[in-house]
Amino acid sequence: QVQLEESGGGLVQAGGSLRLSCVASGNILSINNMAWFRQAPGKQRELVAIIIRGGNTNYGDSVKGRFTISRDNAKNTVYLQMNSLKPEDTAVYYCNVFAKVIGGNYRNYWGQGTQVTVSS
């Protein structure tokens, strides 16, 4: 199994910045994609950003130019730098990895989520 520990959420004023981190642990053989999703109250979970093992990235339209995803493969960690935050960025942010563990196949794993609240 893979455990994901997220950190860095909190309350920030509009225009401010936050940096989320997610550390993957367990009997991990390989991690392919690492991503951040978010879910606001009453809305569906949506992709915020994704980074593949080679470093290519993709972003949701609403965060392009403001958020940056990065990863440290040696530390099994993915980061999300969020700048110019807006009230509409308020949501629970979830870490997601597509990983293979010893004796298993590649599958998706989810973190518990970290709350990000942006005040106007």
Side-chain angles (χ1 to χ4, degrees):
Q1 292 297 319
V2 175
Q3 294 78 44
L4 300 177
E5 182 174 354
E6 299 140 328
S7 61
L11 173 64
V12 65
Q13 289 189 331
S17 298
L18 283 174
R19 188 192 194 209
L20 305 183
S21 299
C22 174
V23 181
S25 61
N27 296 324
I28 299 170
L29 285 178
S30 177
I31 299 177
N32 193 345
N33 299 343
M34 305 184 84
W36 289 95
F37 286 75
R38 68 185 181 186
Q39 188 166 19
K43 294 187 178 181
Q44 290 188 329
R45 191 172 296 190
E46 64 174 355
L47 174 68
V48 176
I50 186 168
I51 183 168
I52 67 172
R53 186 169 181 85
N56 286 350
T57 59
N58 197 16
Y59 296 90
D61 288 341
S62 62
V63 307
K64 285 179 181 177
R66 299 187 298 121
F67 291 10
T68 302
I69 190 170
S70 60
R71 63 189 285 174
D72 184 332
N73 291 329
K75 296 181 179 179
N76 288 338
T77 300
V78 61
Y79 306 96
L80 185 68
Q81 178 65 44
M82 304 184 294
N83 298 329
S84 302
L85 283 160
K86 304 175 181 179
E88 50 264 44
D89 293 318
T90 295
V92 178
Y93 283 69
Y94 295 93
C95 176
N96 169 269
V97 302
F98 190 63
K100 180 180 174 65
V101 300
I102 298 173
N105 296 315
Y106 276 101
R107 53 156 285 192
N108 273 307
Y109 294 89
W110 291 91
Q112 293 296 310
T114 184
Q115 177 70 46
V116 171
T117 302
V118 184
S119 63
S120 56

